[in-house]
Amino acid sequence: MDGEPDLWIGGSWRHASDRGTRDIVNPANGSTAAVVDEATPDDARHAVAAARAAFDDGAWRATPVAERATLLNRIADLLQRDKEDLARLETVDTGKTLAESRIDIDDVTSVFRYYSRLIAVQADRVVDVGDPAVISRVVREPIGVCVLIAPWNYPLLQMSWKIAPALAAGCTMVAKPSEVTPLSTIAFARLLEEAFAEASVPAGVVNLVQGSGAALGAALTENPAVDFISFTGGLATGRTIARAAAEHVTKVALELGGKNPHLVFADVRDGDWDTAVDHVLTGVFLHSGQVCSAGTRLIVEEPIADDFVAALAARAAKITMGDGMDPASETGPLVSAQHRAKVESYVQLGIDEGAQLITGGARPDDPALADGYFYLPTIFDRCDRSMRIVAEETFGPILTVERFTDEAEAVALGNDTEYGLAAGVRTSDAARGERVVRALRHGTVWLNDFGYYAAPAEWGGFGKSGNGRELGPTGLAEYQEIKHIWHNTAPTAAGWFKG
Ligand code: NAP
């Protein structure tokens, strides 16, 4: 950034080997926010080699657990110290409001604190094998060299869900943020450098390359020196990475997209109607819908559908869009012109497929927003599962509405997706709520709430939303190998062969 080298390889900062750079665009106004180094495949290979050398050296993975726990806690402290700077970079890069970015940095901090606590208490397992002379135990060891690939919608948050457990486990790693949004991850790497210097962490434990996934992908994912790939992004890229990793039987954790249903039962009329409307609205239009778990499919019970959609549309039309730096903005732009074009093509598709456009469906006409990649909150009613706009992830501010007449139909619709990342259920009938959340095949299900996650609770998808889990104890286990150690303290001959 700003002429400083941005690639962190083997403990030193470098420019790209071909001196290539990339302009990072502020999506709120189309201006160039920064110019950063763009890694080449050779740079990526060097980064993997540095991570491999740091792992094979053995010093880092032998670091006492208590020291790693202290390091993670120190990183959390530095994140809070630099919170405002990191949050500003996140907003300039992604377009999200500064208030959201601040929450993101707090969440990043809590992930480091959580894994600091978890690694400190993780115990090996002693197994009784029926022979008092044998000490048998199951231990966890770091999986090795990890490639960590993150998307652009929650750049530092998604990366932290990988870096924190990888460090806690004693792995070494190469981090690759999205080419569109690398700024917060570069700044975070500088922060890591400071924490690592204080704790004498060996060079090469964390390496950073940023650049085009298409260009760097093979160097990172087909590399036999890599032991584990953790990827968060779209389904198509996930498939490519899984295929690439298969060559060397490299373990892969995929955290992919979602097409998340929000089921609303008619009994919300007897409960807190306004909160139900508010949660559906927030669930889909926060961050202009660029959220993997956004509740983009409203599945609402017929008797209340007209009123519920009308209430939603009235509030959607009042959402204040603007530059995320402006405290008055409630939501920002889409991340790029290219992404807005994709969202616009989905809106056209919805119209062509016969969905009824209720609100939005256009760019805002405010001239102050003309240079940014803004798009109005959009609602389509009278949708059904045959429509691509209902089946495919649009990743923008688009809500589709389907209607149901009984609980079984609601569940069947909620499960009728190739994805399975998240779902919401709203009902004032607790027994029904419990039945429905258990029947839904999604990795996270919110009952009378929407969108929340917590560092100690696993996050991940069923179906084509992925095959990994982040956060919680399972999010640490992804970065660990399990080894069974059988120690016979009084060996005698097996007596099998007599000669
Ligand atoms: P994407 O296009 O799949 O890209 C994700 C990351 O993969 C980026 O860093 C990208 O680099 C890189 N990449 C692209 N091609 C690659 C290749 N051949 N080999 C290796 N890496 C490659 O996804 P996105 O558009 O950034 O993010 C949006 C998607 O992420 C949505 O589908 C969303 O649902 C999903 N997501 C899921 C979760 C979850 O928790 N399950 C969370 C957030 C987002 P470039 O940026 O350079 O292309």
Side-chain angles (χ1 to χ4, degrees):
M1 272 189 275
D2 304 327
E4 294 286 313
D6 300 314
L7 312 182
W8 195 32
I9 299 175
S12 54
W13 289 92
R14 309 181 189 176
H15 293 292
S17 48
D18 67 353
R19 302 295 289 196
T21 58
R22 174 184 290 267
D23 288 355
I24 302 300
V25 175
N26 180 343
N29 53 32
S31 67
T32 300
V35 180
V36 303
D37 292 309
E38 171 98 343
T40 64
D42 265 351
D43 295 326
R45 276 187 282 273
H46 284 137
V48 171
R52 184 79 257 165
F55 189 79
D56 292 344
D57 167 75
W60 165 242
R61 67 179 198 255
T63 311
V65 161
E67 283 181 30
R68 293 208 296 271
T70 304
L71 174 70
L72 264 70
N73 231 343
R74 175 65 178 147
I75 293 167
D77 292 342
L78 296 180
L79 279 160
Q80 283 302 296
R81 183 196 68 188
D82 295 350
K83 173 177 165 179
E84 196 60 20
D85 292 344
L86 290 165
R88 284 174 179 276
L89 286 176
E90 208 70 305
T91 288
V92 162
D93 218 351
T94 63
K96 67 174 66 178
T97 63
L98 192 53
E100 283 177 78
S101 295
R102 289 181 180 131
I103 292 170
D104 284 2
I105 305 305
D106 283 344
D107 287 353
V108 171
T109 307
S110 67
V111 168
F112 277 90
R113 295 224 194 275
Y114 169 71
Y115 282 116
S116 163
R117 289 195 303 274
L118 187 66
I119 195 70
V121 297
Q122 207 177 41
D124 296 338
R125 212 167 82 234
V126 176
V127 179
D128 183 350
V129 296
D131 181 345
V134 172
I135 302 168
S136 168
R137 61 197 196 277
V138 177
V139 301
R140 297 179 181 85
E141 297 185 354
I143 196 167
V145 173
C146 306
V147 162
L148 314 176
I149 302 176
W152 48 258
N153 60 333
Y154 286 86
L156 193 52
L157 184 77
Q158 295 297 335
M159 193 58 96
S160 75
W161 291 10
K162 305 178 190 305
I163 292 182
L167 278 176
C171 295
T172 63
M173 62 210 79
V174 177
K176 194 208 89 66
S178 165
E179 66 191 30
V180 193
T181 56
L183 301 184
S184 58
T185 309
I186 296 171
F188 177 65
R190 297 261 176 205
L191 179 156
L192 284 182
E193 184 184 33
E194 182 180 342
F196 285 7
E198 290 170 9
S200 301
V201 175
V205 167
V206 176
N207 303 273
L208 169 69
V209 289
Q210 58 276 335
S212 148
L216 303 183
L220 295 171
T221 60
E222 294 174 19
N223 196 320
V226 172
D227 299 301
F228 176 52
I229 301 165
S230 176
F231 168 77
T232 302
L235 175 57
T237 317
R239 280 197 179 106
T240 304
I241 289 176
R243 277 192 210 104
E247 178 63 23
H248 299 292
V249 200
T250 307
K251 181 182 163 189
V252 185
L254 302 173
E255 313 292 338
L256 308 177
K259 190 70 187 180
N260 312 291
H262 203 156
L263 278 48
V264 179
F265 286 86
D267 58 24
V268 299
R269 219 195 251 297
D270 316 323
D272 190 347
W273 171 270
D274 291 342
T275 301
V277 171
D278 181 77
H279 284 191
V280 172
L281 183 90
T282 312
V284 63
F285 294 130
L286 188 80
H287 195 10
S288 288
Q290 302 165 112
V291 180
C292 54
S293 54
T296 53
R297 286 177 70 200
L298 170 62
I299 298 173
V300 58
E301 198 164 357
E302 184 67 56
I304 62 162
D306 285 345
D307 290 350
F308 201 84
V309 171
L312 273 175
R315 287 205 51 193
K318 289 187 200 148
I319 290 175
T320 307
M321 311 193 80
D323 189 324
M325 288 297 187
D326 180 348
S329 302
E330 294 175 323
T331 191
L334 297 172
V335 76
S336 65
Q338 187 191 15
H339 187 55
R340 181 171 63 181
K342 177 184 156 187
V343 168
E344 286 177 327
S345 72
Y346 268 115
V347 170
Q348 188 55 50
L349 184 66
I351 292 166
D352 295 346
E353 287 177 317
Q356 184 187 349
L357 183 63
I358 301 291
T359 187
R363 300 177 186 188
D365 52 18
D366 179 353
L369 305 182
D371 292 334
Y373 312 127
F374 294 90
Y375 199 79
L376 291 175
T378 297
I379 300 177
F380 280 112
D381 200 356
R382 304 287 167 187
C383 298
D384 65 63
R385 283 286 297 142
S386 69
M387 297 174 177
R388 280 180 55 198
I389 198 163
V390 175
E392 297 174 16
E393 187 182 42
T394 58
F395 222 54
I398 303 175
L399 179 72
T400 60
V401 183
E402 299 155 81
R403 296 158 183 241
F404 69 89
T405 52
D406 61 28
E407 184 180 314
E409 188 186 10
V411 169
L413 284 170
N415 283 336
D416 191 5
T417 168
E418 62 176 346
Y419 292 109
L421 187 59
V425 180
R426 295 213 73 90
T427 175
S428 50
D429 177 339
R432 171 166 32 215
E434 283 299 323
R435 277 195 309 273
V436 173
V437 295
R438 294 306 297 257
L440 288 170
R441 302 275 302 157
H442 296 263
T444 297
V445 184
W446 295 284
L447 177 54
N448 294 336
D449 216 330
F450 202 89
Y452 291 99
Y453 57 88
E458 277 76 359
W459 176 268
F462 288 25
K464 292 195 177 67
S465 287
N467 60 8
R469 285 294 180 275
E470 298 195 294
L471 305 179
T474 319
L476 176 59
E478 296 275 23
Y479 294 86
Q480 294 174 317
E481 289 282 18
I482 300 288
K483 180 184 284 178
H484 176 203
I485 300 175
W486 175 294
H487 177 187
N488 192 338
T489 59
T492 54
W496 190 262
F497 298 109
K498 308 299 180 205

